[in-house]
Amino acid sequence: MSSSATGLALALSIAAVAVAGYGLFQDEAAPSSDVDMRLAALEEQMTRIEDRLQSMPVSAPSLAGLGAVRAERTAAAAAAEGATPTLRTDAPAGEREGPDAVDPAKDPEKLAALVDEAVEKKAAQMRTMANKKPAMNVFASTLELTEEQSEAAGREIVRAQHDIQSILETPTEDGAVLLDDLVEVVARGMAEPAKHQQRWMQFFGRVMNEKIPGSDETYAARIESVKQRVRDNFKRNWSERQYANFQTWQMDPTEVQGIEGSPWTTLGKRMQERARQLGAKLPGDDQ
């Protein structure tokens, strides 16, 4: 990876710490329209179908024909063994076997319903994944984590959040505490938006370039190593499909919200209070 790309990745890494707290009381950005989501999902579904068709042998007559041949072979084998063919309700649509199986390719309405169902499911997933700071229950349900996996992931995320906080609380060579600087930058950004970008650039410069006293590692690099530890933990303890969906989400695991014991809750309140001291009006202040 080039040095410029590495620098950008580290900048985004530390920026996530700020939005984790700031995002606690800010409205989420509106996701793409439902129509856009459904179109994107349909395009993906069609691409998968095309890829599957292209990978089939040239001699294959059709999907319907393959289903019929498979059903006939299954029925013949079952009859030879004296068994009654059964319908596999757990099999994917179009691959169910048995005399009562319905071939969607021969039933246009059934096929249309299956496509609509698949597209709607994918669109719903895309709408959820538009939020890069999900609540823990949404995070777990979207990735279809078991209760045990969800609890373990929550513990790992909170541990990482505390580690990141500890890193930012480690004084720099000149005695500055970057976590305090972060709170100030975010609070002033809410109170004085016009000067927000310049302050962020100065803060990023320190985090990316200053090394933790007694080490050759920058603050940003050590924070990124903590986040990578979380990803590695997920990869070890989840199924390939679960982890692949997590990668598709393209979100920072330490930004998951609503976990008991998370230091981001306290951090967000600090940012709010400091912003009010500087004259910022926050959502709900007039209520």
Side-chain angles (χ1 to χ4, degrees):
M1 180 181 293
S2 66
S3 59
S4 59
T6 301
L8 177 59
L10 295 180
L12 293 175
S13 176
I14 190 62
V17 179
V19 297
Y22 183 58
L24 291 174
F25 51 91
Q26 291 293 314
D27 293 335
E28 296 292 346
S32 302
S33 68
D34 185 64
V35 173
D36 290 339
M37 291 293 190
R38 289 179 63 84
L39 285 175
L42 180 57
E43 288 175 358
E44 182 175 336
Q45 186 74 6
M46 293 302 99
T47 298
R48 290 182 179 177
I49 293 174
E50 290 173 359
D51 290 344
R52 186 173 180 181
L53 289 174
Q54 291 176 0
S55 66
M56 292 174 61
V58 177
S59 59
S62 67
L63 290 176
L66 289 174
V69 170
R70 186 187 300 113
E72 290 175 2
R73 290 177 177 174
T74 302
E81 297 176 1
T84 301
T86 58
L87 176 64
R88 285 179 52 208
T89 58
D90 62 326
E95 293 186 5
R96 294 173 182 171
E97 301 168 352
D100 297 326
V102 176
D103 187 349
K106 297 179 180 179
D107 186 340
E109 292 184 1
K110 180 68 173 179
L111 181 59
L114 290 174
V115 171
D116 284 345
E117 180 182 355
V119 170
E120 181 56 38
K121 182 177 180 180
K122 188 63 179 179
Q125 183 186 58
M126 292 173 67
R127 286 193 295 269
T128 299
M129 289 186 173
N131 178 11
K132 304 302 181 181
K133 299 186 288 290
M136 185 63 207
N137 63 327
V138 175
F139 181 75
S141 62
T142 301
L143 298 177
E144 299 182 352
L145 303 182
T146 65
E147 183 176 353
E148 182 178 357
Q149 287 175 322
S150 178
E151 292 176 354
R155 290 192 298 269
E156 183 65 21
I157 291 170
V158 168
R159 182 165 76 99
Q161 291 173 344
H162 279 289
D163 288 346
I164 292 172
Q165 177 177 275
S166 179
I167 292 169
L168 291 174
E169 287 176 334
T170 303
T172 61
E173 290 286 356
D174 62 3
V177 176
L178 293 178
L179 187 66
D180 293 341
D181 291 349
L182 175 62
V183 172
E184 190 71 10
V185 169
V186 174
R188 287 190 177 277
M190 287 185 275
E192 305 169 342
K195 301 179 181 179
H196 186 60
Q197 184 175 359
Q198 181 180 0
R199 292 193 180 103
W200 267 118
M201 294 303 295
Q202 293 173 346
F203 179 75
F204 282 150
R206 298 202 69 179
V207 174
M208 291 174 60
N209 297 313
E210 292 195 30
K211 295 180 179 180
I212 297 174
S215 77
D216 291 327
E217 194 173 24
T218 64
Y219 285 86
R222 185 167 293 183
I223 288 172
E224 180 56 32
S225 69
V226 170
K227 296 181 181 186
Q228 186 58 49
R229 184 190 72 202
V230 177
R231 299 183 194 103
D232 292 341
N233 177 279
F234 290 170
K235 189 172 184 178
R236 285 194 306 270
N237 295 294
W238 295 354
S239 69
E240 290 185 7
R241 180 174 57 82
Q242 288 171 325
Y243 191 73
N245 285 336
F246 167 70
Q247 289 181 304
T248 299
W249 204 329
Q250 295 183 332
M251 53 85 69
D252 178 351
T254 64
E255 287 193 60
V256 176
Q257 308 291 313
I259 309 177
E260 185 177 356
S262 170
W264 291 174
T265 302
T266 303
L267 180 64
K269 292 178 179 178
R270 280 187 62 189
M271 292 174 178
Q272 281 182 303
E273 187 57 35
R274 179 55 180 155
R276 290 191 180 98
Q277 291 174 359
L278 294 169
K281 295 296 184 181
L282 305 180
D285 283 353
D286 295 332
Q287 297 180 358

